[in-house]
Amino acid sequence: MTRSILAALGALAALPALAQQQQAPEEKMIRVEITGSSIKRLVSETSQPLSVFKAEEFAKQGLTTAQEVLERIPANQASVGAGNVVGGNLSGLPTGGQAVADLRGLGGDKTLVLLNGRRIANHPYDGASVDLNVIPVAALERVEVLRDGASAIYGTDAIGGVINFITRRSVTSTTLTLEGMLPRESGGKERRANVVTGYGDLERDGWNVMGVLDWQKQDVLTSQQRDFSATGVIPARGLELTSGTTFPGNYFDPGTEKQGNPGFAAGCNPPFSVPRASNGTCRQDYTRLIDNLPEQDRLVAFGKATIKLNADTSASLEYLHSRNKVVSRTAPPPQTDLVLPASSPYYPGNAGGVPAQPGLSGQPLFVNWRPLEAGQRRINSRGEGDRLVATLEGLAAGWDYKAGLNHSVSKSEEDFTGGYVQDAGFAAGVRNGILNPFGLQNEAGRQYLQSVALRGKVQDAKNKATTVDAKASRDLMPLAGGAMAVALGAEFRKEDADFNVNRDIAGQAASSGLSGSLSKSGSRNVKALYGELSLPFIKDLDVQAAVRYDHYSDAGSTTNPKLGVRYQPTAQVVLRASASTGFRAPTLFEKNAPQSKNDTSNSYNDPILCPNGVPQPGANPLRDCDLQQFKLQGGNPNLTPEKSKTFSFGAVFEPMRNVTLALDYWNIKVKDKIGALPEQTIYGNYPKYKDRFLRNPDGSPFAILDLNENLGRVRTDGIDLSATVSSGRTDFGSFTFTLDGTWVHNYEYQNERDGAYTQNVATYGDNGPIMRWRHNAALTWRHGDWGATLSQNYKTGYTDQNLVAAQYFNEVDSYQLWNLSATYSGWKGLTLTGGVKNLFDKDPPFTNQGTVFQKGYDPRYSDPIGRALYFRAAYTF
């Protein structure tokens, strides 16, 4: 980290020497509405800690998705994208390929995502966050990121901040663009094509129609296509993230309490399964049969028509449609508690060719088996989003007004297309002697496997939101520092959510994670009133005061104020501060999600039947010891809203011409955080949580009870730093250096009300780390028709999850990616861009985490692609 910061500061210090004194052209100042305020004002007047990213700049850097753009924002702690769909259903966290923003590490549910200042329906599988795949990136003009709480302006979700994607106001030309990304190694290749077109000059003709069609496809990247993710078994690191449900199958004889595997002597089935010498069984290295990044195909269509009704009034109609297809693959289906009778030809020592095993009683054997011949489990996910917005805005009686009708729908569905089997039919095949759990199948066995294959739609969900909103602002009266301004607004929103489980499919496969689920639905109404004042009491001092009242038909009422102050004592210094309260209402999904029995992320020992890994009398070690257990997850109608308090203060300095520095301290406190208690917390303290261990009538484990609940508090604070240094024009062109960084001083949370706090900064915590420092630095050069950008994205290291022996405890290394791009626009209408992503071919740092399905690295904080060539050609006519 030290070298990276010194390099960045060295570049910053060198740039002023290139500056030439020149007169800046005077710009016409117009009043606009900015993210974080309902009052139209001059941009230079804002007191908000606001970051603005221009679309033309991130296009030149090869950033093709909203997720990639947000990865360059240091306040965005984690990058939850398509890779998280791999195994998501199995652990009870279906994503449908969703990509999520996560400002301040508080979760995607506390980051509000807007498109042109209005809400988009949240993804139906959590109901708490927008799927970034719906954003029409090719239509964007800029992205505004408000790094401050904004519930007083926008209502629920805006605790961590607001991300507002803003499309172009009008388009009068046609641009065709082709893009590609070619990794140095196999897998993960991307192609993209889009067209942006429009007609009519809004100022001259009084109308404009624009449309965008954007297609993007990414090839699958499997775990085997990268060395760092190829296996969950790394003895030198103490890592053995494996499953006891394996091929060939493990057996347990209840008569002699002996366990073993007929393939153990032959080394099991390397490299897919490996022997465990301590008990003579095999362990499945399931990491070898999963995807790092799934195959993904996205299509986004966006259209907007605007007409000026008169000099002061305009109306617009905006439509967005998105479609996202994802194909994800995990290891073949684990089949547990199978019964193999002594009459089966495949009972060890019988005629089926399975070697005899010493010490068997002749009683039926319990078997855990993963049939590789059934193939990898494959799920086809399809997400769709539609949004229709009609707006009217203008000036009447001195009021700037804006009103709109917004209807937004988000849908997702999953289909089993490979690997899954009907549990009952499969078990009958073992019991009746047709299937061989210890070897490859004969022709009869292969045909039987095909007959019990399970295919079809397993689940679908829909979130729908219809909103009517209106607001108006105007100057009221002169004050010593300028005009006092006011804004008033109202909003009505109706939300509906449906979650449908196809019992005919899900009920036949325990490994679906939905075998016990039932369809559920919910709806509610939200009403809101809000107001805002801008009070320039004296010259260069402006006070912003805002308040919002929300009433939820299912969660009660809340009132949230905000106070902001901006003071400019000199032309070179701006001081700013704000304080606010916030809230997040539990989503319909969090309250009403169907209960589902899912696998735990990690393997555990049952605390009664296998304490410390030692089987007790009556235990089945294939079920009770060192195996993924089950957890019962789902909604909770008794959830109460999360509440927050936020304050920040900072300063913007311009110590010399073309040099700007900004420093902001932020502090956020959240109480009654909604979530499920981490599974490792439950298994780590059985005496405290023994009532959560649900058992069958015979005493065998059923699942741990882990429904959504209000857990406790979160406290976090830190500093945002940004710097911009420009050379102005020189004989060698113009140079601009930018640095945006976030330093987190503290992030601690409770897993239950009034419980102990867990520190999460620079350490893994329960579900992942909070990086101490992140920054994005870029050096940009422009000279005539040429341009180039060298950028660096940097994250500090952290203490690993470390569920390994003490001698293997790991500190995850820092991670940095360098990207280089160049642009040429010397031919009329044609712009060419080429570059290299991950210039130095940096692998993700090793981690021993077991939370997500990918092993050896963490896909939430790193990029598995490696070095890749990027090219882009855009032709405008």
Side-chain angles (χ1 to χ4, degrees), residues 45-106:
E45 292 179 358
T46 177
S47 63
Q48 307 292 328
L50 190 70
S51 299
V52 180
F53 301 87
K54 294 182 179 180
E56 62 184 61
E57 293 302 322
F58 56 70
K60 291 174 181 176
Q61 294 185 41
L63 309 180
T64 60
T65 67
Q67 180 189 352
E68 285 186 310
V69 173
L70 295 185
E71 175 63 19
R72 300 306 189 267
I73 299 173
N76 192 55
Q77 273 286 333
S79 181
V80 178
N84 291 78
V85 74
V86 179
N89 278 58
L90 314 182
S91 58
L93 298 171
T95 72
Q98 178 187 16
V100 178
D102 181 16
L103 295 180
R104 306 301 186 202
L106 295 170

